[in-house]
């Protein structure tokens, strides 16, 4: 029994000894041994009580000998484990020492790096301060030199005077940067140049004014309108370029061209920043066209926001004396939903897909945008009234020319490629054109949308039932350069019956010599008449409402000569008011007036908006 107790102790102690490592080996073994002794004593005592034929002394001596042997075995195991663990401990200690040394070295490197960066930052700050002081002190002389150089410049001189480049060189010199910008200018350098321009805008502004000329940048697409306007302005001696910052592949089908595009590139923000800084010296008018998107691109806006604040890149344009123009984008552009819903007895807002989505349209969002827009825009282009809230402003003009088109691209005698030809059942078959861009996004669950599809589709079925040989064209997702071939084959265009004005489809139809049915809100037409009476008088749109559209459509279907006459007047109207040539002529005047300092304010209105939300002038 004593032998079994000894073996039991060793069996319990061995795993603990084998698993032990490091400085705690001996302590763990001793703790294990102490834990085993009480059951051992109990076992021995029980064996003593049961023993017969042996003396008490011999049993006690045997038990003591067994306990000593077990203790000695445990101690031997501890010493053996320590001997095995010693090399491991040494390696661990060496690794620990190496790790600590590495940490110390990395810390030292970080300290040196921070010190170097701090020194570099201090040097940049010192250079910036010295540069600003020197710029302030030398500004009168610099302005005098540049003014003299401008006055002495004659066309054809060699070398030609590049005043914008010289102004930028001066700015960069005083900002502590290399005089000539590089294609690989770093973000840090470009932001330093922006910081200098922002801080010293009052002094830089007259220098840039010396560079002013016929230079305009369109930032953002407005379908194809600004592309053709920029081309026509070039023919009149303007430097006119277009930046396409829209990164959505789905919308590119509406555009016809661009001069610059950085959207979607890995370094979009940096490339756009380089372009933006250069544009501050290279353009005098900046024309934007996107509601809630007066920008050069969202990535760059996020990049400069910590330095200039929200929309700071636009406010910097104003601080430097640049002129800002803007093209209005419909019902939510500067007008609250509450105000817009008051137009007419049956508010179009009631059938709008976005009425209950504040992230798209709401009083707060629309008015906040209108406030920002009016705080920076010198000239705003609107067409068709809707003068409520921030649209009721003397800087908001009826400007049909901005929605211009190339009269050769949309021409009534275009050759139609075979793949776009639409077969007709007979010579009597009439084609009705009704297009809804982004139909899924703009249509309610019951099929209702502001394009009035829910009115037209049942009406067409009704007329078919009455024997009319008509077919409906509803193109969707067709690139704009191609859709004109489908439009050219239509007999009548069906546009919105409740909104109150017309859009791109109607303009394209009229330029192609086609009649258009669309509701023209009388209040908006009266408002337009105050500024452009001839436009209101000659507008050839056939106005209709949901209640009158059947009679209007049947009348047109029944009278080919009437359709042809309306189409002829539509083409003439578009050439006069919406051709790119007419637009370039007008914007040559408008932009030149702005650059010269004319406010070009609109006369006070006579037609009031119906209960518009009052806003403060900005």
């Amino acid at each position: 029994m004593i032998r079994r107790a000894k073996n039991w102790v060793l069996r319990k102690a061995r795993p603990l000894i084998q698993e032990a490592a490091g400085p705690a080996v001996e302590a763990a073994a001793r703790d294990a041994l102490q834990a085993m002794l009480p059951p051992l004593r109990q076992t021995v005592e029980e064996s003593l009580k049961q023993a017969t034929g042996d003396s008490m002394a011999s049993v006690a001596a045997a038990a003591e000998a067994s306990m000593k042997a077990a203790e000695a075995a445990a101690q031997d195991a501890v010493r053996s484990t320590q001997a095995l663990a010693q090399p491991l401990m040494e390696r661990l200690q060496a690794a620990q020492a190496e790790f600590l040394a590495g940490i110390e070295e990395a810390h030292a490197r970080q300290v040196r790096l921070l010190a170097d960066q701090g020194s570099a930052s201090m040097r940049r700050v010192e250079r910036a301060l010295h540069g600003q002081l020197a710029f302030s002190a030398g500004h009168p002389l610099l302005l005098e030199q540049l003014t003299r150089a401008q006055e002495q410049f004659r066309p054809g001189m060699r070398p030609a005077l590049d005043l914008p480049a010289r102004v930028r060189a001066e700015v960069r010199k005083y900002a502590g940067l290399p005089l000539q910008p590089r294609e690989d200018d770093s973000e840090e350098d470009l932001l330093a140049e922006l910081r200098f321009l922002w801080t010293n805008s009052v002094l830089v502004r007259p220098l840039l004014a010396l560079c002013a000329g016929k230079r305009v940048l369109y930032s953002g697409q407005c379908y194809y309108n600004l592309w053709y306007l920029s081309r026509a302005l070039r023919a009149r001696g303007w430097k006119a370029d277009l930046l396409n910052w829209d990164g959505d592949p789905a919308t590119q089908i509406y555009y016809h061209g661009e001069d610059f595009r950085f959207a979607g590139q890995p370094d979009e923000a940096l490339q756009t920043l380089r372009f933006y800084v250069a544009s501050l010296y290279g353009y005098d008018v900046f024309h934007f066209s996107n509601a809630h998107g007066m920008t050069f691109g969202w990535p760059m806006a996020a990049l400069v926001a910590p330095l200039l604040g929200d929309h700071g890149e636009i406010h910097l344009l104003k601080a430097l004396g640049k002129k800002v123009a803007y093209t209005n984008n419909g019902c939510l552009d500067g007008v609250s939903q509450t105000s817009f819903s008051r137009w007419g007895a049956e508010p179009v807002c009631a059938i709008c897909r976005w009425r209950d989505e504040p992230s798209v349209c709401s009083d707060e969002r629309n008015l906040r945008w209108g406030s920002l827009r009016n705080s920076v825009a010198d000239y705003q282009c609107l067409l068709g009234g809707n003068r409520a809230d921030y649209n009721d402003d003397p800087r908001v003009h009826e400007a049909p020319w901005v929605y211009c088109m190339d009269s050769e691209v949309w021409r009534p005698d275009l050759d139609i490629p075979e793949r776009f030809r639409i077969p007709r059942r007979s010579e009597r078959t009439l084609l009705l054109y009704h297009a809804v861009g982004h139909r899924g996004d703009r249509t309610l669950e019951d099929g209702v949308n502001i394009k009035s599809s829910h009115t037209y589709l049942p009406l067409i079925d009704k007329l078919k039932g009455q024997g009319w040989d008509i077919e409906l064209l509803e193109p969707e997702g067709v690139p704009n350069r191609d859709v004109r071939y489908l439009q050219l084959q239509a007999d009548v265009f069906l546009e919105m019956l409740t909104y109150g004005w017309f859009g791109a489809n109607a303009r394209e139809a009229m330029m192609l010599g086609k009649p258009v049915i669309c509701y023209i809100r009388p209040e908006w037409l009266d408002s337009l008449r105050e500024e452009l009476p001839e436009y209101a008088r000659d507008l050839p749109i056939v106005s209709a409402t949901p209640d009158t559209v059947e009679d209007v459509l049947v009348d047109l279907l029944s009278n080919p000569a009437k359709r042809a006459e309306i189409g002829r007047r539509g083409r003439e109207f578009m050439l006069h008011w919406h051709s790119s040539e007419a637009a370039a002529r007008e914007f040559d005047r408008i932009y030149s007036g702005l650059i010269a300092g004319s406010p070009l304010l609109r006369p006070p209105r006579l037609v009031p908006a119906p209960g518009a939300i009052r806003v403060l002038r900005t």
Side-chain angles (χ1 to χ4, degrees):
M1 182 172 294
I2 297 300
R3 186 171 58 255
R4 284 198 301 271
K6 174 183 176 182
N7 292 338
W8 181 80
V9 171
L10 294 177
R11 188 167 63 251
K12 292 292 185 182
R14 187 178 292 113
L16 295 175
I17 295 172
Q18 291 175 344
E19 292 177 4
V25 169
E26 184 174 0
R30 287 177 178 171
D31 290 343
L33 183 61
Q34 292 298 325
M36 303 310 161
L37 288 178
L40 176 62
R41 289 193 180 95
Q42 183 178 357
T43 301
V44 172
E45 289 173 357
E46 290 177 354
S47 63
L48 288 175
K49 292 179 181 180
Q50 296 175 1
T52 55
D54 291 327
S55 64
M56 185 65 67
S58 62
V59 172
E64 184 177 0
S66 298
M67 291 175 63
K68 289 181 179 180
E71 184 176 3
Q75 292 174 349
D76 290 341
V78 169
R79 285 193 293 272
S80 176
T81 302
Q82 285 180 322
L84 293 173
Q86 187 62 32
L88 175 62
M89 288 301 302
E90 291 175 354
R91 288 197 297 273
L92 290 173
Q93 290 171 353
Q96 182 183 25
E98 182 179 356
F99 176 72
L100 292 175
I103 290 178
E104 292 178 358
E105 182 180 354
H107 177 69
R109 283 199 306 269
Q110 187 68 22
V111 169
R112 290 194 298 272
L113 178 62
L114 290 174
D116 292 342
Q117 291 177 344
S119 299
S121 297
M122 288 301 299
R123 288 193 296 272
R124 285 196 298 271
V125 170
E126 290 175 0
R127 284 200 305 270
L129 290 175
H130 288 309
Q132 289 187 12
L133 291 174
F135 184 61
S136 299
H139 181 266
L141 179 59
L142 176 61
L143 181 60
E144 179 183 347
Q145 292 173 344
L146 294 178
T147 302
R148 189 180 307 115
Q150 182 203 46
E151 292 172 348
Q152 294 174 351
F153 172 72
R154 296 290 182 273
M157 287 179 59
R158 293 292 183 269
L161 176 65
D162 190 350
L163 199 56
R166 184 169 174 184
V167 170
R168 186 173 189 186
E170 294 291 340
V171 167
R172 289 175 65 89
K173 176 181 72 176
Y174 287 110
L177 300 169
L179 298 187
Q180 299 302 319
R182 304 183 305 272
E183 291 186 359
D184 61 344
D185 267 342
S186 68
E187 175 185 317
E188 182 181 359
D189 286 348
L190 293 167
L191 291 177
E193 188 172 355
L194 274 188
R195 185 181 296 107
F196 186 90
L197 289 169
W198 181 262
T199 305
N200 299 279
S201 59
V202 173
L203 298 178
V204 175
R205 182 168 179 160
L207 303 181
L208 292 177
L210 294 173
C211 308
K214 301 172 75 170
R215 306 179 302 171
V216 57
L217 175 68
Y218 297 98
S219 184
Q221 296 275 23
C222 180
Y223 286 108
Y224 40 73
N225 304 129
L226 301 180
W227 171 252
Y228 290 115
L229 175 54
S230 66
R231 302 310 97 174
L233 280 171
R234 286 185 175 189
R236 301 180 72 90
W238 281 75
K239 175 187 177 183
D241 297 319
L242 188 148
L243 168 68
N244 178 11
W245 52 260
D246 184 1
D248 184 358
T251 58
Q252 304 306 310
I253 63 173
Y254 302 111
Y255 310 148
H256 286 201
E258 62 202 27
D259 295 300
F260 304 100
R261 186 183 182 194
F262 312 108
Q265 300 185 21
D267 55 348
E268 175 184 348
L270 180 56
Q271 287 199 54
T272 309
L273 179 60
R274 290 193 187 111
F275 175 80
Y276 168 74
V277 176
S279 73
L280 296 176
Y281 307 91
Y283 302 98
D284 305 294
V285 179
F286 292 79
H287 194 135
F288 301 92
S289 298
N290 303 96
H292 306 281
M294 192 177 281
T295 181
F296 294 83
W298 305 119
M300 194 211 82
L303 180 63
V304 302
L307 174 65
L308 304 179
D310 291 341
H311 306 290
E313 70 276 20
I314 309 301
H315 291 298
L316 180 57
L317 297 179
K318 300 295 294 180
L320 294 175
K322 304 300 179 180
K323 301 303 178 182
V324 174
Y326 179 75
T327 301
N328 192 282
N329 278 259
C331 54
L332 50 64
D333 199 335
V335 176
S336 70
Q337 189 179 119
T338 299
S339 294
F340 192 85
S341 66
R342 294 193 178 110
W343 291 109
E346 298 181 5
V348 68
C349 295
I351 60 171
C352 180
R353 161 72 173 78
W354 309 111
R355 179 186 62 180
D356 298 320
E357 295 201 21
S359 62
V360 176
C361 179
S362 69
D363 286 2
E364 191 275 334
R365 186 173 192 265
N366 298 359
L367 294 177
R368 184 176 68 246
W369 163 249
S371 175
L372 170 66
R373 185 197 72 185
N374 284 20
S375 71
V376 295
D378 300 285
Y379 190 98
Q380 297 186 51
C381 304
L382 178 70
L383 181 61
N386 186 23
R387 293 189 174 277
D389 301 335
Y390 285 98
N391 283 353
D392 188 10
D393 187 282
R395 291 163 294 186
V396 180
H397 297 262
E398 299 289 349
W401 314 283
V402 78
Y403 306 98
C404 72
M405 307 169 65
D406 189 305
S407 58
E408 290 299 306
V409 174
W410 287 270
R411 202 175 68 244
D413 60 348
L414 283 174
D415 290 330
I416 302 174
E418 189 62 35
R419 69 181 185 278
F420 294 112
R421 291 190 177 276
I422 302 170
R424 302 197 187 206
R425 285 191 298 267
S426 70
E427 294 181 356
R428 295 177 55 253
T429 303
L430 298 174
L431 297 180
L432 307 179
Y433 187 95
H434 178 66
V436 183
H438 305 289
R439 182 186 296 271
D441 293 336
R442 301 169 70 176
T443 303
L444 299 174
E445 293 181 358
D446 56 1
V448 173
N449 60 44
I450 63 171
K451 295 287 282 187
S452 303
S453 301
H454 56 289
T455 299
Y456 283 122
L457 298 181
L459 174 58
I460 292 170
D461 289 339
K462 177 182 178 180
L463 294 178
K464 285 182 177 181
Q466 294 175 356
W468 284 97
D469 188 3
I470 53 179
E471 293 294 335
L472 182 64
L473 300 179
E474 295 183 280
E476 189 172 3
V478 180
N480 187 264
R481 281 185 173 272
D482 295 333
V483 78
R484 58 191 168 136
Y485 298 122
L486 304 178
Q487 294 171 327
L488 193 56
Q489 300 173 74
D491 297 289
V492 179
F493 277 65
L494 309 177
E495 282 295 292
M496 298 173 283
L497 296 174
T498 55
Y499 179 79
W501 207 249
F502 58 94
N505 268 326
R507 290 192 295 269
E508 292 163 2
M510 289 188 287
M511 188 64 91
L512 291 171
K514 304 294 180 179
V516 179
I517 297 175
C518 181
Y519 174 55
I520 302 300
R521 193 176 298 281
E523 302 97 319
W524 295 358
L525 190 63
D526 289 342
S527 177
L528 181 147
R529 186 176 287 109
E530 294 177 12
E531 193 168 5
L532 297 175
E534 296 86 0
Y535 191 100
R537 179 195 65 202
D538 297 336
L539 179 63
I541 296 285
V542 182
S543 185
T545 67
D547 295 330
T548 65
V549 66
E550 181 175 350
D551 292 338
V552 170
L553 179 55
V554 168
D555 179 54
L556 286 177
L557 295 177
S558 304
N559 293 279
K562 187 172 186 177
R563 295 199 302 269
E565 173 60 18
I566 294 174
R568 182 191 64 78
R569 289 194 288 113
R571 172 75 177 178
E572 291 180 356
F573 179 86
M574 290 296 295
L575 291 175
H576 183 75
W577 293 102
H578 289 277
S579 67
S580 55
E581 293 80 9
R585 181 178 61 251
E586 290 297 327
F587 276 99
D588 188 351
R589 174 186 63 84
I590 292 168
Y591 294 153
S592 297
L594 292 174
I595 293 171
S598 173
L600 299 182
L601 298 180
R602 184 178 186 272
R605 293 183 56 246
L606 300 176
V607 179
I613 293 178
R614 303 307 302 168
V615 296
L616 295 176
R617 294 285 179 231
T618 54

